[in-house]
Amino acid sequence: MLSQWTRHLNHALWLTTVSNAALVHREEFHEDLVLRPLPDGRVSSKFTFTTLLRDATPRNPESLAVEDDSQHYTLFPLALGQVLREYAITEMHLTLNAGKWNYDRWGYPDEPGVGSGAELWAWMGDGGPATVDYRWQGLRNALAGLFCASLGSLDELRTTSPTLAFEPEGTLPNWTQPHQLRHASLPSEHVCTENLTPFLKLLPCKSLSGVASLLNPHRLFDADWHGMGVHVSYDREDGVKVRLTFQTVFDPVRTSLNNRRDWSFASLFDRKVEQLCPVAETSRVRLALPEVQSYLLAPEYTIQDNYALFDMAASSQAFQVSMDWPQEPKFQYRTSSNYDDASIVPLSVQRTLRGSSQARGELSVTVTNHEAVEIQSVYLETMPWLLQFYLHTLRISHNGESRGDLISNISYVPPVPHARPTTLQCIITIPPKSTIKLTIDVSKSFLRYTEHPPDAQRGWDLPPAVFVPFKTDHNRTLLGTTRYQRIYTPTLLADLATPDFSMPYNVIILSCTLITLIFGSLFNILTRKFVVVNMDPPREVAETQ
Amino acid sequence: MDKIKAKLRALVTPKPDATASRIRRRRAITAKIYAKLPWITTTLFAVGYAWMLCIPFSELENRIYIDENALQPGQVNTQWEWSDVHHADMYLRQLEILRDSNATSEQRADFLANEFNKLGIASSTQSYTFSTSSSTAAGTNAYAVLSSPRTSGNEAIVISASWLSRIDESSTSDPETINIRGVATVLALAKFLRGYSLWAKDLVFVISDGHLDGMHAWLSAYHGVSQSNMDADYLKLSSGVIWTALNIDYPGHSFSHLGVFFEGLNGRLPNQDLLNSLRVIANRAGVPVVTYDHISPPELPSSLPSFLRDNRDVKLYAENARSVLRHVGYEARGSGSGVHGLLHQFRIDAITIFAIPAAGPHGFHAIGRVIESTLRTANNLLERLHASFFFYIMTSSDTFLKIGAFLPSAVLVSVAMMFVGLGEWVRAGWVRGPDRVAEKAGSEVEWLKRRRPLMKPLGIVLGTHVFGAGVFGALNAFADHHSLLTPVVFLVSALPITLSFLNSAPKPPTNEIAQLSTLLKSLNLCLASTIISVTSVLNFSLALTLAILLGLPLSLASPSTSAAVKTAKYACYLALAFGWLLMDTEVKSALWNWEVLGVWVAPFVCVVYAPLVLQAGLVTIL
C-alpha cells in the first residue's frame, strides 16, 4: 500500500522532471542503511544517501569566465550544487568525525574517512581564470558556511597535496589541464547538532521519512563514534554523484541494564521508520550477519552475500530491525590476546608523541602486520609547521635491529614556518607477522604570541597519519591495483612552549624588569663619558689655584 | 642681565669638583655601609630566621579558593551507588584470595588485566626490573585504557593504585601493607565509569606493582624515557597526553578522613586547584579532608604551661608547624610523598587520596563518590590546570601559604651570607695603613690595597667539591659496605687538620698578600648564598634547610690559634658536613631515590652541601 503510493509519486516526479527542460539531467535518489554487529558488542550503522545526476559533468574551470547555465534540481541538493559549480570542483570529500575509530576491534569502517575531526579533500581541474588555490579557499569557506563548521581554518597552514594516499574515488574528466589535489584536516573540530541540521537539509526527505528519519541527534551524538560525510564524485558512465553518509558506532552493552548486546532501532535511535521516502528509488536496510548463529533477527529478511536484506515496504506498521541474542545472559568480551591475534585488519598502528619537553620530542609509530604475507603501505604525515621533523633521524627497526631497507620512496616537503605544513610520504614494508617501529625526532616551534589559540594551555591537535596498505608478492610487485582502505591513526596533542596568558600582569612585570635591567645598564655604559677626576681635597685645590 | 646669564651658566656648567665630590660621597656611603656591615648582616640573619619561625603563624596564611572556573567542583549529582559498593566488595574478595594464596606479581597483574578486559576495557601488563647498586626490584604492572566515547583520545586522566600502601613509609622494615581496598576501588570504578558516555578524556587505570617502582617504570615507558638501570616492557596500549592523575591509597578496613598527599619529586608540586577541588567535593559529600594523615591535633609538650597549652593561637601554631615541617621533610629529601610525586615531572597534576585507616564511618561508598565527582571536575577541563598556585605550602586542608609569605625567609639569610662574603672580600683586599699622625684629628684613615691571589682558595674550593663527588661515587660503588665507608670518609676529611699541625707555622698576615682563610671564607659564603637563592625557587624546602644549616655556621667560621679550639671547631664542621652518613636508612633511601627515581638530593648533598661545610671547616684551620 505504502510502496504503491511511493512508486506512483515517484513516477509523477519523474514526469515533471523530464518535461521541464532538455538541459535538466535525470536525477536519482537512493538510500541505504548498513548495520554491522561488531566483535566487541558494539553495533555500527552507516546511512548512505546517494543522489545521482545522470550524465552530468563537473564544470570545467576554463568555463569559469563565462556565466554558468542555470541550475534546476529536484532531488540534487542545490546549496551544494551551487558551490560545486561556482568553484568547478570535480571531486570533493568532506568528513566530520568525533571519536577514535578502533580498527583492531571494529575492523575497517564502511566509509574509509574516519580521521578524528574535520577532513576535506578535493580534486580540481587546473586552468581557467581562477587558480586552484583561490578556488580551494572559496570551497572551504563556502562549505564552512554550509555546514556550520570551522572549515575556514583549513588554510594554507594545513593544506597539502598527498596524491599517493588520496586517489580520486571516481574518474577525472579528460580536460586539457591536469587535475590537482588539495587536502587539509582539522583534528580539533567538534561535531555536533549544528552540523547535522544543514546535512539533513540537503536530503530530499529531510529527516521526515525514509531511513533518514532514524537520524535522531540525541542518540547519534551519544554514540561512541559518529561521523558525517559529504562525497561528490564523477563517473563517466553515471554522471555526478553526491553521497551523503552518516556513520555511527553504538554500544548497546553500555546502555543496557544487564550488559546484553541486544538492540533494535528503538533502542539505538529511539525511533522507527514510520513512512518511506517517496522519492527514493531504492531504500535498503542491510545487516552484516555475524559468524555466530545464535541470534534472532526481526522482521523477515533475505540473505544476499552474507548480508540480511530487509524490505521496508513490506511491513504495514512502522519499520524496525531488532537483533537479540537469547542464549547470552550477559555479553562476554573477548580476552585481550584474542583481539591481538584476530586479524580483522591487516595492519594495526600505534602512533605517539614522546617526550615531556616543550622544545623537542620523538614521534614514534609502531606498525604490526597480522597477515602471513609481507605488506607494503603508504605512510603519510601531513604535519602543521608547529612540529618539524629531523628527517635524518628517521629510523625504522624490526625486532630491535635497524632496517633501513624497509623504507623507500620517501618524498618530503619541508615546512615553511608560519606558512606551509610538512608532507612526508613514504612506502614502508612490514614483514609478515611482525612489528616494526619507526621513530623520528621532532622539534616543536616557538610561536608568536598572536598565533596561540584562546585555549592556549590545551596544546595543539595534530592531524592523523594515514596508512594505505597494499599486498605484494615476493618480488614486491603490486598484486593488481586493488588496495586496502586508508587507515587513519589517532590524532595527537602537542605541548608547545606557552606563555601564561592568564596572568599577563606577572608576564609584563617580569619582562619589563629584564628589559630595564639589560637596557639600563647597557645605556649607562654606552652614554657614559670616562674622565680623570682629581681626588685631592678641594681645599688644597683651592689653595693651589 | 649678565649676572643672570652667569648664574644660569653656573647652573648649567658643572662645577669642576662636582664629579670628585660625587665620588667622595659615594665613597663615604660605602665606607658607612662597610662600617655598619656587622649590624646589617646581623639584622638580615635575625629577620630571616625569625621569619622562618613565623611561617606557621595563621596571620600569614590564606584560605583556599578555586581559581579555574571550568572546574566547577561538586556541581554534579554523583551516580555511584550501593550496587557499585557491592562490586567493589566482590573485587575485594577476589583480591583477598589472591593475596592469601601468595600470588606472584605476574599472576596478580594477569588477574587484574583480565578483570579489566571482562569489562570491555583494553588492558595489558608490563614487567619491569630495576637494578640498583644494592638491590634489584622487579614486578609487573597492570593497566587499562578506556577510550572515552566521541573523543579523539588526546587527553587522559589516570586513576591509579599502587599494590603497596604508603602507610609503612615511616617504618624501617620493608613495606608490606597491601593497598587492597585501593585496588578494589580502582576496579569497581572502572566498571562503573565505563557505563557513562560523558567522559571527555580517556581514562587510564593503572595498578602499579610495588610502591614507587612500578609506577615509575610505567610512566617512563609511557613517555618513552629510558634509564640505564631500568628494563621495562614496551607499553602495548597508549592514550593521549595525561593531564591529571588521582592515586588512591586505601589500605584499611574503613576510614574516617581522607588525607591528601601532594609533594612531588625534586620539589615539584601539583596545581593547587586539584587539591582545592578535592577538598570542596569531599566537603559536599560529608567526608572530612586533612593534609597528610594529621587527624588529631599535635600533642604539645607537657612542660609547657597550661595557659599556653590551652591557648587557641598556640594550638593553631603547633598544628600549622606540624604541616609545614612535614612538607619541608618531604620536599627537602626530594622524594615526594607518594606515588603521585612521580607524575609531576611529566607535567601531570597528581595527588594521592589516602583513606586514613580508622574504625569508621566511611568506606567504598564515600570514597567512590568523592573520586567520581573529582573525576567529573577534572573531566571539565578544556585546558591544563594553569590558573591556581604552583608554589605553596598547605598549612591545613583549607589554608595555605603563598610564595610571598615564605620565600623571603630563606632569601634574607642568603642575602646576609652574601653580605658577609663580600665584606670578607673587602677585608681581604684592604688593610689599614699607619695612621697619619701629622694631619689633624679626625682625618681619614689611610687604606692600603693588598693582593688577593685567588688560585689557591679556588683550588681548595674545587678540591672539596671533587672530594664530595668522590664520596658520592664511593657511596654508590660500595653501597653494601656502608659501615666501612663512613670512618674512611671521616678519616680522609680529617687529614687537613693533621697536616695543619705538622706544618704548624701559620703565615703571619702581611700587608702585601691577603690571608688565605679570608679569601676562602669569602668565596665559600658567596657560593653558598648563590646556591641558596637559586634553590629557593626550585625547591624551597631544600633552600630553607640549607639556610638553617649553612647560614650562621659558614658566616661564623674564623681561624683560631689555639690547637684545641681549632680541633674542636674543625670536628664540629666535619660533623655538620658528613654527620648524615651515620643515618643509615636515610642514606640508603636517598641513594635508591637517586638511582631509580632520579632525585638529585643525594648528589647535591655530597657534591654541594658537604663540600661547602668542609670549606668553612678549612677556614678555621688555615
Side-chain angles (χ1 to χ4, degrees), chain B residues 165-188:
Chain B
S165 169
R166 62 151 297 281
I167 200 163
D168 300 311
E169 116 188 311
S170 50
S171 71
T172 46
S173 61
D174 280 341
E176 270 165 7
T177 312
I178 294 169
N179 176 20
I180 196 154
R181 277 181 175 73
V183 176
T185 311
V186 173
L187 280 169

Side-chain angles (χ1 to χ4, degrees), chain B residues 51 55 391-393 401-410 540 544:
Chain B
W51 197 316
I55 288 176
F391 296 96
Y392 53 86
I393 295 178
L401 290 167
K402 287 183 185 174
I403 187 168
F406 57 81
L407 190 75
S409 59
F540 170 74
L544 187 79

